[in-house]
């Protein structure tokens, strides 16, 4: 394969002959994405908006906790939690005498919060490009 800027990671993964090269690509991209989020990207407005919308899965949150930069994680979660609270517990008028919330909307919001992950989305996007080039 002719080497270009977007095929360098693919060539590096296939240069080693032990294990699965695609798994190596995914593992490196996953680690780089966690480092990206915990680094200077956490101060970029577009990244913060997206992390506030999607949040993080349990596996990536654990990896972020393992990184020594706890201030970055604190800042990310400080802006994520109010948005999560607004999605799960919206301030609505009490339509029923007991003030019951719409359970279906609450379940949908909690499922969306549980399934979203900025890092998973970023890794998936890059891996789709890698698959096309492979």
């Amino acid at each position: 394969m002719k080497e270009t800027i977007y095929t360098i990671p693919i060539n590096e993964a296939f240069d080693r002959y032990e294990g699965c090269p695609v798994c190596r690509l995914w593992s490196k991209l996953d680690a780089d994405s966690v480092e990206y989020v915990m680094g200077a990207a956490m101060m970029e407005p577009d990244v913060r908006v997206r992390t506030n919308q999607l949040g993080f899965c349990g596996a990536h949150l654990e990896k972020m906790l393992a990184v020594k930069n706890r201030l970055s994680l604190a800042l990310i979660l400080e802006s994520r939690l109010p948005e999560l609270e607004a999605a799960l517990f919206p301030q609505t008028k009490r339509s029923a005498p007991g003030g019951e919330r719409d359970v279906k909307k609450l379940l949908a919001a909690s499922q969306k919060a549980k399934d979203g992950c900025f890092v998973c989305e970023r890794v998936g996007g890059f891996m789709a490009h890698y698959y096309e080039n492979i």
Side-chain angles (χ1 to χ4, degrees), residues 16-51:
R16 293 184 11 208
Y17 291 107
E18 68 273 349
C20 175
V22 176
C23 293
R24 244 189 322 277
L25 275 171
W26 182 89
S27 179
K28 180 168 178 6
L29 187 55
D30 190 60
D32 290 348
S33 294
V34 169
E35 184 179 320
Y36 169 77
V37 169
M38 295 295 287
M42 66 105 182
M43 293 305 291
E44 294 178 19
D46 58 329
V47 172
R48 281 299 273 282
V49 166
R50 199 71 185 134
T51 58

Side-chain angles (χ1 to χ4, degrees), residues 111-122:
Q111 189 66 33
K112 182 180 174 190
K114 180 180 144 271
D115 291 342
C117 179
F118 175 79
V119 178
C120 288
E121 183 181 83
R122 185 172 192 270

Side-chain angles (χ1 to χ4, degrees), residues 107-134:
L107 285 174
S110 66
Q111 189 66 33
K112 182 180 174 190
K114 180 180 144 271
D115 291 342
C117 179
F118 175 79
V119 178
C120 288
E121 183 181 83
R122 185 172 192 270
V123 170
F126 277 103
M127 285 304 293
H129 294 297
Y130 287 160
Y131 292 141
E132 289 174 12
N133 288 308
I134 290 173

Side-chain angles (χ1 to χ4, degrees), residues 81-93:
L81 289 176
E83 190 156 327
L84 185 61
E85 181 182 25
L88 291 176
F89 307 108
Q91 300 293 329
T92 58
K93 295 180 181 178

